[in-house]
Amino acid sequence: IIAGERRYRAAQSIGLKSIPAYVLSISNESEIMEYALIENIQRVDLDPIEESEAFALLKSKYNLSQKEISKRVGKSRSLIANSLRLLKLPSSIKKDIKSKKITTGHAISLLGLKSKTQMLAIANRIINKNLSVRNTEQIVSKINMLSTSRIKGKKTAKSKLLNKMESKLIHKYGTKVSILFNKSKKGKIIFEYYTSDDLERILRLLNK
């Protein structure tokens, strides 16, 4: 039995004569481990970091792309991409996610910050002040605004509308997005990506 050992034992204990099952043709031990890992990911009791580590194992050990992982585990590609990004967080924040002190939504917002020091500081504020994900997004947006809106040595404040649009783009595309501009009202929108799969995912979304 590759997956479903507990269900098989439960069926035996209540005297079932037959159960629905898939019969698979497996070529090697590596493939057995891959199927077992996918089954493990689909359990509902995995915490977000355990799930991220499992996706990373599928990617590194079994050479699966984010698209292939998405198909095999039945989760969206953007969810896979964001989940893998959680592994870039400082270890203390990963522990906070595991202990449910902060949510995955908070963590994705924190990934928009440029330094681990900033991430740790805002994570502490989330816990101590019970900040919502929306509050966290606003704080992250303000921090990035102060660090990226200097043009020719002067600070240029973003409008509330631009900050709001920046937050929407970050959530829609599952990556850091910056809207930069100058006094002449010219500017640019910057999308950051972390892997070739991530770039392909963003381009697909932009083409829709």
Side-chain angles (χ1 to χ4, degrees):
I1 298 174
I2 296 173
E5 179 74 25
R6 285 178 294 180
R7 280 167 287 181
Y8 171 67
R9 298 298 178 195
Q12 274 189 322
S13 69
I14 61 174
L16 291 182
K17 299 299 182 183
S18 63
I19 56 173
Y22 290 101
V23 179
L24 304 173
S25 177
I26 304 297
S27 57
N28 54 58
E29 187 176 343
S30 176
E31 196 173 352
I32 292 175
M33 293 180 67
E34 181 186 331
Y35 275 110
L37 179 58
I38 290 170
E39 166 72 11
N40 193 47
I41 291 171
Q42 292 171 332
R43 282 170 38 210
V44 295
D45 56 344
L46 281 182
D47 68 54
I49 298 302
E50 288 173 333
E51 191 173 63
S52 300
E53 290 168 345
F55 291 150
L57 188 58
L58 285 173
K59 186 177 179 184
S60 60
K61 187 171 182 178
Y62 302 107
N63 297 315
L64 298 183
S65 67
Q66 289 180 11
K67 184 177 180 180
E68 289 170 326
I69 295 171
S70 173
K71 286 182 178 179
R72 298 200 186 194
V73 302
K75 297 179 185 288
S76 70
R77 193 168 175 182
S78 60
L79 186 148
I80 304 298
N82 278 327
S83 181
L84 287 168
R85 290 180 62 208
L86 294 181
L87 298 178
K88 299 177 183 290
L89 290 166
S91 58
S92 64
I93 296 180
K94 291 178 188 176
K95 289 178 182 177
D96 290 336
I97 296 171
K98 280 177 169 286
S99 61
K100 299 183 179 180
K101 291 181 180 178
I102 65 174
T103 68
T104 303
H106 287 114
I108 295 298
S109 297
L110 290 175
L111 283 165
L113 293 168
K114 293 181 179 179
S115 75
K116 289 186 177 180
T117 302
Q118 290 176 331
M119 291 180 190
L120 291 168
I122 302 307
N124 284 333
R125 286 177 66 180
I126 292 169
I127 296 167
N128 295 331
K129 296 188 177 181
N130 196 27
L131 298 179
S132 67
V133 173
R134 179 60 182 158
N135 293 150
T136 306
E137 290 171 352
Q138 291 171 340
I139 292 169
V140 170
S141 181
K142 286 178 182 178
I143 291 172
N144 287 331
M145 178 184 70
L146 291 173
S147 62
T148 61
S149 63
R150 289 179 178 273
I151 298 174
K152 295 181 181 180
K154 295 183 180 180
K155 291 182 180 179
T156 305
K158 286 183 185 176
S159 69
K160 288 183 179 180
L161 176 61
L162 283 182
N163 282 326
K164 186 176 180 180
M165 290 306 300
E166 198 173 72
S167 293
K168 283 186 176 181
L169 289 170
I170 288 170
H171 266 271
K172 180 176 180 180
Y173 293 97
T175 192
K176 184 180 176 185
V177 182
S178 301
I179 301 176
L180 307 179
F181 64 98
N182 56 31
K183 289 183 177 179
S184 65
K185 296 185 178 180
K186 292 181 179 180
K188 53 190 174 183
I189 301 175
I190 300 174
F191 289 78
E192 293 192 12
Y193 64 92
Y194 305 90
T195 65
S196 57
D197 280 337
D198 209 18
L199 172 60
E200 186 181 343
R201 175 184 64 81
I202 293 168
L203 292 175
R204 285 178 182 275
L205 288 171
L206 287 169
N207 281 330
K208 286 184 178 179

